[in-house]
Amino acid sequence: MATATNPDQRHDDRQASADRFVATLHRYIDDGPVDLQQPADDLIAALTGAAPDSAIAAALTAGAAIIDRYWSVLRRGSADVAMARTLTNPQFEPLTDALIAALHPFARQDALDAAEDEVRDLQRQVAQANADLEAAVAAGDVEHVMALRATAQVTLPGRLGEARLRVLQLKVDASKPQLSAAAEHYAKQAAAVRDAEQLRDAAAAQLRDAAAALDLAQRAAAAARAAEGRAKATTVRLSEALREQTAAHEHDQQTRIRKLAGLAPTAA
Amino acid sequence: MPTDELTKARRRIADIGLADAVFTAVAAHRTPPHLTDDDAPTVWNDVSARFTAVEAGRYCSSADVGLIDLHARLTGLLTRVRASPSTAPMTDLVDRYRRIRDAQKALVFTATRGVAGSVEIRQAGVNIIAARLLQVTGAMSNIDEVWPEWHQHFSHASGAQPPWEHTSAEPFTVSATAANLRLLATGPARPWVPTLDQMKAAYVEQTAAEADRRRVANETRVYGSATQRRDAR
């Protein structure tokens, strides 16, 4: 597979790999087992380096869960293939979410990881400061208590609160690209629905036209058949008349000749 | 280098493909594709779902193909256990043993059409539910020799616990632990993964052995031991 150098092109390639993976899973559910390995490997190749391995793994795992669900529904024996498809369809939602996350990783994930580490570190420091404070109180060391109070009850909790805010802010920032990606995905799917509707409407119009043409042709054929019948009847009638006329003519002619010959009108 | 997480996820997709290929081959009476010891339990587990699901279970009776394959895997695994030093960690082997038994259970219940499926044992003139047949004969062919009190656990009578590590809810299940693997590999048990017919034959054998022992015990209680009877004569 050729590697695109343009960032937009690379994103399109990744998206195309994801679409192929999803389409293959749909085909598996709709038409029976097909090869999933190649689309999965293409997806891994397209996303490696652009998304964390954990995000790629989450997408593959969500894909495998669809197949597992499909067979597990069928295995119970209470559902036919159509029902299994219906019951499996909701499993595509986690796959969509996983692919959106893998296709639009947060650019400042390192900063988010560091901020979360800082929160954990400060939580430990606060716990330690409180333990030290308790120990000083137990020891009756008023001077030490007074020295620790500010740190245990103001400084460290304040820093912890700020660190938590930073984490939340980064999480909000992280959610934005995924929100726009989800919106973009929705817009794309909605456009696909509109296209399919147009196709359906065009096909319906074609069907209506074809039905009208069929009706017209059937009526014309019926009329032609009736005309054929009438013509046939006329031919039969005229042929019968000709036969009768011929017989009468021959009889009359014989009578006239016999009369001329002085014979009786009919032979003895 | 992909992370373990990604490698595992990719392998799951590969196992699905292998399960489809194995099912197709078995259904067409062709040789299935080669499976590794690592793949085999997961793949057979997946194949059992296809046996049950496709064409209203038409291929359920093919479960024996998987059971025979798993038996060979178990034999190989226990050979490795015997070759391992007694202190060696056996995490991988224990995990594989657990997966072999999970796959075996899936295949047996496929062959019997469910956990509560009724299995006819003509030689004994009885019907037995699949779950019980698996309990008695699934892990080893000679349960009566290894755990003579096994029958009492069906009659709610208290009896000696099995010699293997187990949970109180499932005394018949040989838990997947290193100690149990060593017990199976080196003890008197004859561990196996039997086909359905082998399970039926073993059930008849083990039940007869148990009945014989009970008869001898009763006679001893009433008439004394054979030695005592001889001495009395």
Side-chain angles (χ1 to χ4, degrees):
Chain A
M1 188 164 45
T3 309
T5 48
N6 178 319
D8 287 344
Q9 182 60 46
R10 281 202 299 269
H11 177 76
D12 288 349
D13 288 349
R14 291 195 287 272
Q15 183 67 58
S17 298
D19 290 346
R20 273 198 300 278
F21 185 56
V22 174
T24 308
L25 287 164
H26 273 294
R27 220 167 49 248
Y28 191 111
I29 301 302
D30 291 343
D31 303 330
V34 290
D35 175 39
L36 297 172
Q37 193 65 61
Q38 192 57 52
D41 284 346
D42 289 349
L43 183 69
I44 295 170
L47 290 177
T48 297
D53 276 8
S54 58
I56 308 172
L60 294 181
T61 303
I66 290 171
I67 306 301
D68 289 343
R69 168 81 173 154
Y70 174 73
W71 285 112
S72 127
V73 169
L74 279 177
R75 178 185 218 164
R76 288 204 297 267
S78 53
D80 60 9
V81 172
M83 178 64 83
R85 265 182 226 138
T86 307
L87 294 174
T88 303
N89 268 331
Q91 290 288 328
F92 278 88
E93 290 175 13
L95 172 64
T96 305
D97 293 348
L99 284 171
I100 286 174
L103 287 164
H104 304 87
F106 183 40
R108 286 181 292 149
Q109 186 63 43
D110 289 349
L112 177 56
D113 292 343
E116 285 178 329
D117 284 346
E118 190 187 2
V119 166
R120 279 190 286 275
D121 186 42
L122 282 166
Q123 283 172 329
R124 275 192 298 274
Q125 287 188 42
V126 167
Q128 185 58 52
N130 281 324
D132 291 347
L133 190 58
E134 289 285 350
V137 169
D141 187 347
V142 178
E143 199 175 325
H144 198 195
V145 167
M146 296 312 286
L148 288 174
R149 268 183 65 189
T151 306
Q153 296 183 346
V154 179
T155 312
L156 285 176
R159 283 174 58 197
L160 178 59
E162 284 166 15
R164 282 182 170 145
L165 284 177
R166 273 195 297 280
V167 167
L168 267 182
Q169 182 59 56
L170 284 163
K171 283 188 171 173
V172 169
D173 293 348
S175 71
K176 283 176 183 166
Q178 297 201 353
L179 171 64
S180 63
E184 191 185 314
H185 181 66
Y186 170 63
K188 197 174 142 194
Q189 297 306 319
V193 169
R194 280 195 300 279
D195 288 350
E197 281 172 347
Q198 278 178 5
L199 207 62
R200 180 200 62 194
D201 292 346
Q206 274 188 333
L207 183 64
R208 276 196 305 276
D209 290 350
L214 175 64
D215 183 51
L216 193 65
Q218 281 174 333
R219 280 188 284 129
R225 191 175 172 187
E228 185 201 18
R230 284 195 304 278
K232 194 173 174 183
T234 302
T235 304
V236 169
R237 184 169 45 78
L238 289 174
S239 299
E240 184 61 21
L242 175 62
R243 195 184 55 73
E244 284 174 3
Q245 192 64 37
T246 303
H249 168 71
E250 281 172 1
H251 180 264
D252 290 352
Q253 187 64 8
Q254 276 292 307
T255 305
R256 281 191 289 273
I257 293 171
R258 290 185 73 87
K259 195 174 173 183
L260 184 65
L263 297 173
T266 52
Chain B
M1 192 71 180
T3 57
D4 285 352
E5 193 181 7
L6 180 54
T7 305
K8 196 174 156 196
R10 186 187 177 281
R11 206 171 114 189
R12 181 73 199 106
I13 296 281
D15 283 349
I16 288 171
L18 270 173
D20 290 331
V22 168
F23 170 74
T24 307
V26 172
H29 305 289
R30 291 198 314 266
T31 308
H34 172 75
L35 302 176
T36 66
D37 283 345
D38 220 21
D39 295 331
T42 311
V43 170
W44 282 115
N45 211 332
D46 286 349
V47 172
S48 73
R50 286 147 179 79
F51 283 149
T52 310
V54 174
E55 294 181 38
R58 182 180 158 192
Y59 300 102
C60 282
S61 56
S62 302
D64 278 354
V65 180
L67 292 168
I68 291 166
D69 182 70
L70 289 174
H71 176 70
R73 312 275 173 189
L74 177 68
T75 306
L77 185 149
L78 293 174
T79 304
R80 282 184 58 187
V81 172
R82 277 189 283 274
S84 304
S86 59
T87 52
M90 292 202 292
T91 317
D92 287 353
L93 296 177
V94 166
D95 178 60
R96 194 172 298 163
Y97 175 78
R98 181 184 51 74
R99 292 191 298 119
I100 286 175
R101 290 303 187 194
D102 286 348
Q104 174 193 10
K105 202 186 283 187
L107 286 165
V108 167
F109 293 149
T110 291
T112 61
R113 310 287 181 111
V115 179
S118 177
V119 181
E120 184 186 9
I121 302 181
R122 289 208 184 116
Q123 303 98 303
V126 295
N127 282 342
I128 180 171
I129 63 162
R132 178 169 288 196
L133 182 62
L134 188 68
Q135 283 178 325
V136 178
T137 65
M140 60 196 73
S141 60
N142 59 337
I143 191 171
D144 194 68
E145 184 184 341
V146 181
W147 181 29
E149 294 80 9
W150 65 274
H151 203 267
Q152 294 171 22
H153 283 256
F154 290 131
S155 54
H156 305 290
S158 59
Q161 293 297 306
W164 53 79
E165 290 179 345
H166 61 279
T167 62
S168 57
E170 294 184 46
F172 284 87
T173 302
V174 181
S175 303
T177 64
N180 278 347
L181 282 195
R182 290 193 200 290
L183 185 77
L184 290 175
T186 58
R190 291 197 295 270
W192 66 347
V193 179
T195 63
L196 191 57
D197 282 344
Q198 287 174 321
M199 288 169 79
K200 290 179 191 176
Y203 186 82
V204 172
E205 234 178 70
Q206 298 305 298
T207 309
E210 193 274 338
D212 276 353
R213 245 181 327 93
R214 200 146 26 116
R215 184 180 48 73
V216 170
N218 280 340
E219 285 174 3
T220 304
R221 201 177 62 238
V222 175
Y223 306 113
S225 68
T227 314
Q228 286 168 332
R229 289 201 301 272
R230 198 176 52 242
D231 291 348
R233 280 199 299 271

